């Protein structure tokens, strides 16, 4: 949905190695997409092909910043760098790069299917939708959790 014929025919899905369940789930989802003809060499029998490679990175929270993420993929220390140049001009391996957060893309299909009013009903008046958080430390359940915006952590018993 987010790609055109003029775009590269290969993408990368970056997942931190600290989240083995997330890595496994992403790989399962990508295989299911291939099985249904949504990824691969001939999508829906057309001459258009597109594939996604899972990249397990050793980056930390700093990899949420795009230049840090690219450094991690390139095998360098995940550290933000000043711009310009912007990644769209000189990004991954010095080539034009478009970086999109999967958290953002994950909302698109739901918004199209259920409408903007539905999405706007989640969260607060000024912060719509959901947010994914990483839970770590001395708690019962570590990992990733998605909650409506405005849902404060002290309200949750993890």
């Amino acid at each position: 949905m987010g790609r055109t014929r003029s775009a590269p025919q290969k993408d990368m899905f970056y997942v931190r190695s600290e989240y083995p369940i997330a890595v496994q789930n992403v790989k399962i989802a990508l295989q299911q997409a291939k099985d249904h003809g949504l990824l691969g060499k001939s999508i829906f029998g057309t001459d258009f092909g597109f594939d996604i490679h899972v990249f397990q990175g050793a980056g930390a929270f700093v990899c949420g910043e795009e230049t840090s993420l690219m450094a991690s993929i390139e095998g360098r220390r995940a550290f933000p760098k000043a711009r310009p140049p912007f990644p769209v001009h000189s990004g991954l391996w010095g080539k034009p790069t478009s970086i999109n957060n999967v958290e953002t893309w994950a909302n698109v299909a739901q918004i199209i299917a259920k409408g903007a009013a539905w999405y706007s009903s989640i969260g607060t008046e000024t912060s719509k939708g959901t947010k994914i958080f990483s839970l770590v430390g001395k708690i019962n359940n570590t990992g990733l959790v998605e909650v409506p915006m405005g849902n404060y952590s002290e309200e949750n018993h993890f």
Side-chain angles (χ1 to χ4, degrees), residues 83-95:
R83 292 171 288 244
F86 293 93
V88 70
H89 298 117
S90 178
L92 197 56
W93 297 295
K95 297 181 179 180

Side-chain angles (χ1 to χ4, degrees), residues 7 18 40 52 54 71 96 136 153:
E18 294 90 346
I52 299 174
V54 176
V136 296
S153 61

